Amino acid sequence: MKELVLCFVFACAAISSAGSPVDQTGSLGGVVVDDQGHPVGGVNVEYHLLRAGWTDRYGRHVFTDPIVSGWVTTGADGRFTVTGVRAGQYAICALAKLPHQLHSCQWGQGGAPVKVTAGQATGDVRLVLRSGVSLTVHVADPIGIADPGDVFRA
């Protein structure tokens, strides 16, 4: 009887530690720079977990992961760190600080993909704020070829 109780205690300990959210988190970090490679301080960096899921038979998206997103501000040295984030694949963007800068997701990089591994620190993300202008235009389509929400790039 003592052996059975002892095995049960070990099994419970293994289950409770395997399901602990602390074991499933990591950290991510990096630096935000401008076109010339100079660090940019005071910039907000957004991060979003790319959620896994599927589409059901009615065309609805069913997600299996929780929503994880947030933002952090870079220090004077352009560096940022986010700790305690759930392990997974993230999209990260630096938001423009000055009117002549483009968000890092608006020019070339999209959302920089970063993999956060449980118990690990990912600190090598480099986000670039490019000089430029974002231009929004209205497309008049009397024939109806374009669909609402279409994106056109020049």
Side-chain angles (χ1 to χ4, degrees), residues 96-109:
K97 182 177 178 179
L98 300 173
H100 71 277
Q101 293 174 326
L102 298 172
H103 298 348
S104 66
C105 289
Q106 289 179 316
W107 186 258
Q109 292 178 328

Side-chain angles (χ1 to χ4, degrees), residues 11-32:
C12 288
I15 290 170
S16 67
S17 67
S20 172
V22 174
D23 296 337
Q24 298 175 10
T25 64
S27 66
L28 59 93
V31 64
V32 176

